[in-house]
Amino acid sequence: MSSFVHLHTHTQYSLLDGQASVKKLVDKAIKDGMPGIAITDHGNMFAIKEFMNYVGKTNKALKAEGKEPFKPIIGCEVYVARRGDLNLKTEKADRGGYHLILLAKNFKGYKNLLKIVSKAWTDGFYDRPRTDRKELEKYHEGLICASACLGGEIPRLIQDDRLQEAEESVLWYKNLFGEDYYLELQLHKATVERANHEAYEMQCKVNEKLVELSRKHNIPLICTNDVHFVDEKDAEAHDRLICLSTGKDLDDP
């Protein structure tokens, strides 16, 4: 099997959503033989300094053992304003945004990601920090973009059977990011009774159309796992965290 790298990963800095510490994520990835990992917290880059410091320290130890260095990838899962303008803050739809994965491929991309995320907080904040397509057009250089999870714009349109709009969005992103644009596949089949059993069916539907769009427009695919905790045994603790953030009861699937 070829090596795998997590490119959609949430730490505990995805507040009330992610449960994984930076240290445990990096240690587990190395233990599993992965050459690197991306950190893509929701709307923020709070984990990045701790992430880079810990990987730097870890790589010194790996070098002393004659092993290859571990690759840290800086990213963010940003919220893109649903009505196309981060300044619109009047409707329920504005209290969030379509998910989108952005990864820095070089130092220019890192600086542009900082600009996008900072403005999302200072100008675009409305319940969540939000960016828009105008900001992506201004600061796309040096960034890799992926279509994200079921909360992404294209997966949402596919779920709603708005297939022409989904294709138009795919072409917009491809035109902007070129070879650095990827369609993202996720497949999470629930194995315990209390888990969400609806997401898997939606992902199957979305993935089928994403593969079609990939072939039609020659856009590469990536597989991600939408990581929110480190080990399977952490799932119950993460469930409690989600109950806190959503105001739900533990017996609500």
Side-chain angles (χ1 to χ4, degrees), residues 38-49:
I39 296 298
T40 58
D41 281 312
H42 278 301
N44 73 65
M45 297 171 68
F46 302 155
I48 297 306
K49 186 174 188 298

Side-chain angles (χ1 to χ4, degrees), residues 11-208:
T11 75
Q12 60 198 14
Y13 291 99
S14 286
L15 306 178
L16 289 179
D17 184 40
Q19 191 246 2
S21 73
V22 170
K23 180 181 183 300
K24 286 184 177 179
L25 280 169
V26 172
D27 289 349
K28 179 74 184 297
I30 292 173
K31 181 182 176 183
D32 288 347
M34 297 180 186
I37 194 171
I39 296 298
T40 58
D41 281 312
H42 278 301
N44 73 65
M45 297 171 68
F46 302 155
I48 297 306
K49 186 174 188 298
E50 180 182 345
F51 178 45
M52 297 302 292
N53 286 349
Y54 186 69
V55 171
K57 177 182 175 182
T58 300
N59 279 341
K60 287 182 180 178
L62 291 173
K63 184 179 179 180
E65 296 172 10
K67 297 179 179 178
E68 289 293 316
F70 186 75
K71 175 74 173 179
I73 304 169
I74 296 172
C76 182
E77 184 170 22
V78 299
Y79 298 99
V80 182
R82 291 194 182 100
R83 292 201 293 151
D85 188 340
L86 60 80
N87 296 301
L88 294 176
K89 303 176 183 180
T90 57
E91 297 186 7
K92 185 178 180 180
D94 300 327
R95 294 187 176 276
Y98 294 120
H99 297 193
L100 188 73
I101 295 292
L102 298 176
L103 305 172
K105 64 184 287 187
N106 51 38
F107 188 59
K108 177 70 173 180
Y110 168 67
K111 292 197 291 184
N112 279 335
L113 188 58
L114 287 177
K115 290 173 183 176
I116 290 170
V117 172
S118 294
K119 191 167 182 180
W121 283 91
T122 57
D123 293 0
F125 190 88
Y126 189 61
D127 200 46
R128 288 181 173 86
R130 303 168 309 134
T131 189
D132 60 26
R133 286 188 175 187
K134 291 179 183 176
E135 293 300 298
L136 296 175
E137 286 177 330
K138 275 194 279 185
Y139 301 117
H140 70 276
E141 187 180 347
L143 290 174
I144 293 168
C145 176
S147 57
C149 54
L150 290 176
E153 179 180 354
I154 290 138
R156 289 270 183 168
L157 291 169
I158 293 172
Q159 290 170 70
D160 294 338
D161 296 316
R162 296 157 63 186
L163 302 182
Q164 184 176 341
E165 292 173 68
E167 186 168 12
E168 290 169 357
S169 292
V170 164
L171 293 174
W172 187 89
Y173 281 101
K174 183 189 179 185
N175 182 62
L176 182 64
F177 289 96
E179 293 181 354
D180 292 323
Y181 179 57
Y182 295 81
L183 293 173
E184 186 172 343
L185 304 178
Q186 295 185 351
L187 199 62
H188 303 122
K189 190 169 186 178
T191 57
V192 295
E193 185 179 350
R194 285 178 51 217
N196 183 324
H197 290 263
E198 298 173 1
Y200 177 76
E201 292 183 5
M202 289 188 286
Q203 287 172 332
C204 288
K205 175 181 178 178
V206 168
N207 287 351
E208 182 181 355

